[in-house]
Amino acid sequence: MEVAPKVAPYVKPAWRVLDGVVKAGKRVLFEGAQAAMLDVDHGTYPYVTSSNTMAGQAAAGAGVGPSASGYVLGIVKAYTTRVGEGPFPTELHDAIGRKLGERGDEFGTVTGRPRRCGWFDAVLVRQSVTVSGIEGVVLTKLDVLDGIETLRSAPAIGWATRCWTICRPACANRPRFTPIYEEIAGWTQSTKGARSWRDLPANAVIYVRRIEELIGAPAVQVTTGPDRDDTIVMRDPFQG
């Protein structure tokens, strides 16, 4: 009762507020708080959250029509991580995996629990791009890969004699899936703080371009450090 008078002026039907700003021609940003593969319908069930996390949920959850959504921007690391349990074919249990975690500061902000780290899982990201209708991605933490002589990415996963280019449905045998890797030459120069393409080593550019091919979406921004300005911008998603 003490808090109610302070909060009440801000309580409004979200759908009406959004309808008004959309009709006024203003921009609206919807931000997802959970990873795509934690989606209760399209994720790696049963290792998921309790709701939908794909981009389409922004419309249903906020009360706007699907036509109100504009550019869909995906955020993805230059390598792959996972919190908690669940399938992770490209997970690394070696010195490189530990290096990715330490360099990338891959620890829970609340619990401090280390995240699981591994090579770039193109199967997972490609499926997320498709299901969420992602038009471009921000490829983050490219600098974490500095100094690794040979990089790997997984365009497919295999089981027995079969090869899959999509994430398989949940099943008892899922942990048996193994990544089918391709190797990409790394770079010895530092990319930390790079803010233009010309500041990147040639092999770093090749790596980014190959990731674009594997996931079927362009990298519209690449980040090379923790500072806000450590970003290479090819396209501003807010400029239409």
Side-chain angles (χ1 to χ4, degrees), residues 63 99 125 148 154 166 169 174 177 196 203 210-211:
K99 180 184 293 186
V125 178
I148 300 178
I166 62 173
R174 184 160 193 156
F177 283 101
S196 70
N203 283 354
R210 181 54 180 156
I211 293 302

Side-chain angles (χ1 to χ4, degrees), residues 11-205:
V11 178
K12 297 179 181 179
W15 65 270
R16 291 193 63 184
V17 174
L18 290 170
D19 181 60
V21 297
V22 169
K23 287 180 177 176
K26 297 181 180 179
R27 294 194 180 99
V28 179
L29 172 64
F30 297 100
E31 180 184 5
Q34 299 269 22
M37 281 299 155
L38 294 180
D39 188 278
V40 67
D41 291 320
H42 304 287
T44 51
Y45 190 88
Y47 304 101
V48 296
T49 188
S50 59
S51 60
N52 293 108
T53 61
M54 296 295 180
Q57 181 62 18
V64 299
S67 61
S69 63
Y71 191 86
V72 181
L73 181 68
I75 313 298
V76 60
K77 294 172 186 173
Y79 51 98
T80 297
T81 64
R82 179 155 197 152
V83 177
E85 298 181 22
F88 192 170
T90 64
E91 184 174 8
L92 294 170
H93 300 280
D94 56 11
I96 293 179
R98 292 190 294 274
K99 180 184 293 186
L100 294 176
E102 293 167 1
R103 283 187 179 179
D105 195 24
E106 299 294 351
F107 301 94
T109 54
V110 177
T111 64
R113 180 175 58 171
R115 298 187 183 98
R116 300 158 63 192
C117 299
W119 297 121
F120 188 86
D121 188 339
V123 177
L124 180 149
V125 178
R126 183 168 56 241
Q127 187 161 320
S128 299
V129 165
T130 300
V131 178
S132 271
I134 291 171
E135 299 169 76
V137 301
V138 178
L139 189 67
T140 69
K141 298 191 174 185
L142 184 68
D143 57 300
V144 173
L145 301 178
D146 290 353
I148 300 178
E149 183 177 350
T150 303
L151 302 172
R152 286 182 165 188
S153 63
I157 53 176
W159 181 30
T161 59
R162 304 191 67 178
C163 175
W164 308 93
T165 56
I166 62 173
C167 296
R168 299 303 302 151
C171 63
N173 294 314
R174 184 160 193 156
R176 299 183 188 177
F177 283 101
T178 57
I180 299 175
Y181 285 124
E182 67 174 32
E183 295 188 344
I184 305 173
W187 53 91
T188 57
Q189 308 96 313
S190 173
T191 63
K192 191 172 182 61
R195 297 180 183 178
S196 70
W197 279 114
R198 64 177 176 272
D199 295 332
L200 294 178
N203 283 354
V205 176

